[in-house]
């Protein structure tokens, strides 16, 4: 099975942290991820992306208001 490198989930308003945690742990070759306007995502999603998506070059978080800058380093 070929792994994804680009994924655009913008405006998937029902997307949850559980979905992103599962995605991040199984699609580690992602280099581009757009989750803009996925307003149910929280810092849990951000932490999962940071831990698992080491090849990520572009991450779009537009209007993800529940993701804070608390986990930025």
């Amino acid at each position: 099975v070929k792994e994804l490198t680009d994924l655009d989930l913008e405006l998937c308003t029902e997307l949850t942290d559980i979905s992103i945690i599962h995605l991040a742990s199984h699609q580690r070759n992602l280099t581009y991820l757009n989750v803009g306007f996925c307003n149910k995502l929280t810092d849990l999603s951000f932490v999962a992306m940071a831990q698992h998506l080491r090849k990520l070059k572009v991450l779009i978080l537009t209007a993800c208001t529940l993701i804070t800058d608390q986990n930025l380093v």
Side-chain angles (χ1 to χ4, degrees):
V1 175
K2 188 174 181 181
E3 288 195 33
L4 298 172
T5 57
D6 293 34
L7 186 58
D8 190 336
L9 297 171
E10 184 176 37
L11 294 170
C12 291
T13 57
E14 296 302 313
L15 197 65
T16 65
D17 288 331
I18 293 169
S19 302
I20 292 297
I21 291 166
H22 184 77
L23 173 77
S25 64
H26 289 90
Q27 293 295 328
R28 295 175 182 243
N29 283 330
L30 283 176
T31 58
Y32 172 93
L33 180 59
N34 182 356
V35 291
F37 301 95
C38 298
N39 55 5
K40 290 186 178 182
L41 301 183
T42 71
D43 288 338
L44 292 174
S45 290
F46 185 81
V47 169
M49 290 183 276
Q51 287 176 342
H52 299 293
L53 300 178
R54 299 295 182 162
K55 296 180 182 180
L56 200 62
K57 294 181 184 197
V58 177
L59 175 60
I60 300 172
L61 298 169
T62 305
C64 293
T65 57
L66 298 178
I67 296 179
T68 68
D69 60 1
Q70 180 177 357
N71 293 298
L72 294 177
V73 180

